[in-house]
Amino acid sequence: MTEKRLTFWEATFLMVGAGVGAGIMAVPYLASRTGYGSLLFILAIAYAANCLVHLMLAEVLLRTGRDLQVVELMRLYVFRGRAWSWLLWVVFTVLSIAFVANLAAYVAGEGEIVTELTGLSPRPAELLAYAVSAGVVFFGLKIVGVFEQFGALVLFACVIALAVGALGIPAHVDVSVEGDWRETLALYGMVMYALYTFFSVPQVVKGLAPDGRAAVRAILAGLAVNGILTGAIALIALGVSTGVTKLAIIGVADRLGNWAGVVGSVFILVAFVTSYWSVSLALADILHERTGLHPKASWLVATLPSLLILYLGAGGFLEYLRLAGGATAIVVVLISIPMYVTARRIGEVRDPEWSLGRWGSPAILGLVLLATALMAVGSLIEI
């Protein structure tokens, strides 16, 4: 696999690709229960919380001075010494399962859409989806970054097309704050998950090295783009749908016509594919570092199970997504903050070119812990 330096926009859209997935189409339904005003407030809170979580990891990497993935950073700063090595392997296993579950969900979703758009039977559709998704990652970080840019352009084109199509429809967006605490918390958990791209931060820092400040800007920009796309899709769905469906594009298509359904399907398909690229790239790098497998072997181990699980008929799409979201949130809650604190104390690079500074104070870290804990709780609430 070839590794070359990323451009700023390639790094930014690597973050976008990792975040824009299934969650973005589930947000409008939850927002319809709480009001668009609540969604805007939650988007602001979720953006701030995600910025802090992601920049904590960026600072850990800058203080380490090496291109390492999350699991090996845990080895350096949390599970130190032989006595803790077994627990590191447990975390590695849980993360790998969550990643594979996520990737299987993406292939399943891609296969369903390919079947709808082309008429292919499900198994060939899933195989085609896997080939396109995994094939790009085979060529490494630089190629993934290039393709993520093209994917982002398609996503924006789809949103613009839907927005233009909705101009002639009387809008009825409720900007009030409604819903009970369970609905609000469920919306918060889904928005946090829609913006969450934690495991792509090492690729961004690596791809833009040695410019740590550029990596920080790319992380902030990528999270902002995810927030804009999430808010835009919700605005369109809430504005035109007579009844917001759990998968937002269904209600939009009912109001705008079949063409909107096709555009929405393309949006979801590209969102799944770009997410697959980012997530599987991160998993392949983690496997390579932890096990010493050759990069190409790591790529195969990272991607092939996502297809085999579907062919074995083990579970459904929502179960994969729920497992992935809950597991990754819990890992962040339990491990990120102690890793960050220890890296600031013993990291090899004592004076990195960028740090959170006062934004890394104990009070702020306490708020980050609360924000990510609520994300974990919110992802488990059924509405």
Side-chain angles (χ1 to χ4, degrees), residues 19-60:
V20 178
I24 194 170
M25 284 295 173
V27 167
Y29 173 75
L30 295 172
S32 72
R33 309 289 292 269
T34 65
Y36 197 74
S38 293
L39 174 61
L40 292 177
F41 176 74
I42 287 172
L43 271 171
I45 297 298
Y47 176 73
N50 268 299
C51 284
L52 289 170
V53 169
H54 290 68
L55 293 181
M56 282 168 50
L57 180 56
E59 183 177 340
V60 170

Side-chain angles (χ1 to χ4, degrees), residues 221-238:
L223 292 172
V225 171
N226 282 346
I228 291 169
L229 287 172
T230 301
I233 289 292
L235 180 62
I236 294 169
L238 292 172

Side-chain angles (χ1 to χ4, degrees), residues 41 44-54 56 185 188 192 329 332-334 336-338 340-341 356 358-376:
F41 176 74
I45 297 298
Y47 176 73
N50 268 299
C51 284
L52 289 170
V53 169
H54 290 68
M56 282 168 50
L185 191 56
Y188 170 78
M192 282 288 288
V332 170
V333 170
L334 295 178
S336 292
I337 292 178
Y340 174 74
V341 171
L356 280 169
R358 287 178 293 181
W359 289 99
S361 67
I364 296 296
L365 296 182
L367 290 176
V368 171
L369 179 63
L370 176 62
T372 48
L374 290 175
M375 171 188 169

Side-chain angles (χ1 to χ4, degrees), residues 257-333:
N258 291 335
W259 71 268
V262 174
V263 171
S265 294
V266 171
F267 180 95
I268 299 171
L269 177 62
V270 174
F272 284 154
V273 171
T274 55
S275 294
Y276 191 103
W277 291 338
S278 295
V279 173
S280 62
L281 179 66
L283 178 57
D285 285 346
I286 289 172
L287 287 168
H288 169 62
E289 284 188 357
R290 181 95 290 253
T291 66
L293 284 172
H294 187 278
K296 289 184 179 179
S298 297
W299 162 81
L300 187 63
V301 174
T303 61
L304 188 57
S306 63
L307 180 66
L308 296 179
I309 286 174
L310 299 180
Y311 275 63
L312 293 173
F317 174 79
L318 293 178
E319 286 76 14
Y320 294 136
L321 193 61
R322 185 177 300 278
L323 173 61
T328 53
I330 291 169
V331 167
V332 170
V333 170

Side-chain angles (χ1 to χ4, degrees), residues 79-92:
F79 305 119
R80 304 170 64 198
R82 292 184 178 180
W84 293 99
S85 62
W86 67 272
L87 188 53
L88 183 63
W89 281 103
V90 170
V91 171
F92 165 74

